[in-house]
Amino acid sequence: MTEAHRCRSCCATIGEVVLDLGEQPASDYFPPAADPGPDPSYPLQMWLCAACGLAQLLVDPTVPEEPRATEPAALVDQAADAVGRVAAAGWLPAGGRAAEYGSPHGGSWLDLLAERGLTVVGDGAEADVVLDCFGLMHSPDQAAALAERAARVAPGGVLLLQFHSLGTIVRLGQWNSLRHGHYAYYSTAALGRMLASAGFAARQAWRFDLYGGTILLAATRAEDGAPGPDTSVTALEAEEAALGVEDPARVRRLQDSTVSRAEALHRWLVDQRAGGARVLGYGAASRAVALLCRAGVDRTLLPAVADASPAKQGRRMPATDIPVVAPGELVAARPDAVALFLPDLLPELRATLPEVEADGARWVDVEALGATPV
Ligand SMILES: [Zn+2]
């Protein structure tokens, strides 16, 4: 019997595994194409805390690799949208100080905040606006990471937290959002409890389409005498509660989704090949790694996955023999269809790779194949 897992936020040991993807390669380890493997793999499981409701990575024996991804236009566009909405709501005081905890995946708001008249402060300094943009989930110790951010908020200041919501993951069956290096998967209610432990309270929430549903939460120190959460927060909590984000039985449906979506992808690729259609992939992201592994896809079904990141080209998808190629090679191959692993990229790809559709190919959202929304 191994030692019980302690919640990364509240330290409780009561909870259960709600999603078990078995042994998976590290999602950011792209071996050179000539490396025959086998690639090292590690257990990948989501645990749901019965005390505070935080969904989290059970163990992470992997070592983070250097980020290799390029920053998608969708992330840049969403940042501008979010800053506009937060400013309109009065949360960005002119002349105030701003600090950011960013993500290794990009999407910094600092330039946008500077344009709004805020002064960006450095590591550790107090700020009137402390922003975490997909950063917090990368910390193994969630309580310590949130406390660090909260401590930097100046009296009367605001803490802004942006996250891909567990409600979205459950609603859309996004089981392949689970990956090594991402330690927490927040519902609005669970994050609210974490904030309360840090002496903060959620005040306002905004929702964005990014990743199928991204939430931005504004929180202030409870002692600042805030009026409490507005309806944007309570409505979101009610919606997520109805989805069952704190009910292990409901979250465990993600396990069923692993089977249905993997089978659907495999079947679709087999059907395409049988019909003589040539399919290539786009988006060498962690979500694609998990899905291709689960679906048992190799290069006979998917001869290549294109990606704009030069650091991934010349490598292969982990635990498969599928090479990662430059977008130009995808265009030159004139496929009949392109399996898109990152649906947020579609508008950008239509604009930057118009040849794909001009040559008669179609973009196919693999997230939608076999999805069983609840
Ligand atoms: Zn907990």
Side-chain angles (χ1 to χ4, degrees):
M1 185 73 196
T2 52
E3 198 180 334
H5 175 74
R6 294 182 84 82
C7 173
R8 298 180 183 279
S9 178
C10 77
C11 293
T13 53
I14 46 167
E16 55 189 285
V17 172
V18 286
L19 176 59
D20 188 344
L21 298 183
E23 298 276 321
Q24 290 279 324
S27 51
D28 49 9
Y29 171 69
F30 289 82
D35 177 345
D39 304 329
S41 61
Y42 313 90
L44 182 57
Q45 295 154 317
M46 181 190 281
W47 187 87
L48 184 65
C49 179
C52 77
L54 182 66
Q56 53 202 272
L57 194 58
L58 189 61
V59 291
D60 187 1
T62 69
V63 178
E65 295 281 315
E66 287 292 304
R68 298 177 187 277
T70 52
E71 186 176 65
L75 201 55
V76 177
D77 293 347
Q78 188 271 342
D81 183 15
V83 170
R85 286 158 79 171
V86 170
W91 291 108
L92 302 181
R97 297 155 295 171
E100 182 182 67
Y101 287 85
S103 159
H105 314 302
S108 173
W109 294 18
L110 288 180
D111 290 346
L112 296 161
L113 293 173
E115 284 169 20
R116 297 269 172 181
L118 285 99
T119 302
V120 174
V121 298
D123 283 355
E126 187 178 85
D128 304 295
V129 177
V130 175
L131 163 71
D132 187 287
C133 185
F134 303 116
L136 189 62
M137 64 180 173
H138 296 91
S139 295
D141 185 338
Q142 287 287 301
L146 186 63
E148 179 190 332
R149 289 151 175 78
R152 290 183 62 186
V153 178
V158 64
L159 179 59
L160 297 170
L161 300 169
Q162 180 162 282
F163 55 98
H164 177 215
S165 85
L166 181 63
T168 300
I169 292 171
V170 169
R171 181 170 56 84
L172 298 178
Q174 293 173 335
W175 57 270
N176 49 335
S177 296
L178 180 67
R179 54 159 289 175
H180 295 115
H182 288 183
Y183 295 92
Y185 304 82
Y186 312 95
S187 66
T188 307
L191 191 53
R193 286 183 204 107
M194 289 174 64
L195 284 164
S197 298
F200 276 67
R203 297 279 308 281
Q204 191 173 357
W206 299 263
R207 183 200 307 251
F208 302 88
D209 292 337
L210 188 70
Y211 307 136
T214 286
I215 306 297
L216 173 63
L217 212 54
T220 57
R221 223 171 242 112
E223 68 192 26
D224 287 346
D230 74 7
T231 54
S232 62
V233 177
T234 53
L236 200 54
E237 287 178 348
E239 187 185 313
E240 292 177 1
L243 285 166
V245 291
E246 300 195 1
D247 176 355
R250 295 286 295 278
V251 180
R252 206 178 290 117
R253 287 187 198 168
L254 288 170
Q255 195 75 42
D256 304 329
S257 181
T258 66
V259 178
S260 60
R261 290 193 38 219
E263 285 180 350
L265 173 63
H266 195 272
R267 191 165 50 239
W268 181 73
L269 288 170
V270 168
D271 289 348
Q272 294 297 309
R273 187 177 61 181
R278 185 171 159 78
V279 180
L280 297 181
Y282 194 98
S286 64
R287 282 189 276 170
V289 172
L291 184 55
L292 290 171
C293 286
R294 201 76 186 173
V297 173
D298 62 17
R299 64 191 302 170
T300 66
L301 285 171
L302 193 65
V305 172
D307 195 280
S309 169
K312 288 179 181 169
Q313 296 158 15
R315 295 179 174 265
R316 61 173 170 77
M317 299 298 287
T320 75
D321 57 0
I322 303 169
V324 181
V325 302
E329 290 181 62
L330 173 109
V331 169
R334 301 188 62 136
D336 299 295
V338 182
L340 179 58
F341 292 98
L342 298 167
D344 286 307
L345 294 184
L346 186 56
E348 178 181 359
L349 291 172
R350 283 203 157 123
T352 56
L353 300 175
E355 305 92 335
V356 169
E357 287 174 304
D359 289 345
R362 62 203 169 94
W363 295 98
V364 175
D365 175 3
V366 300
E367 300 272 310
L369 293 172
T372 50
V374 290

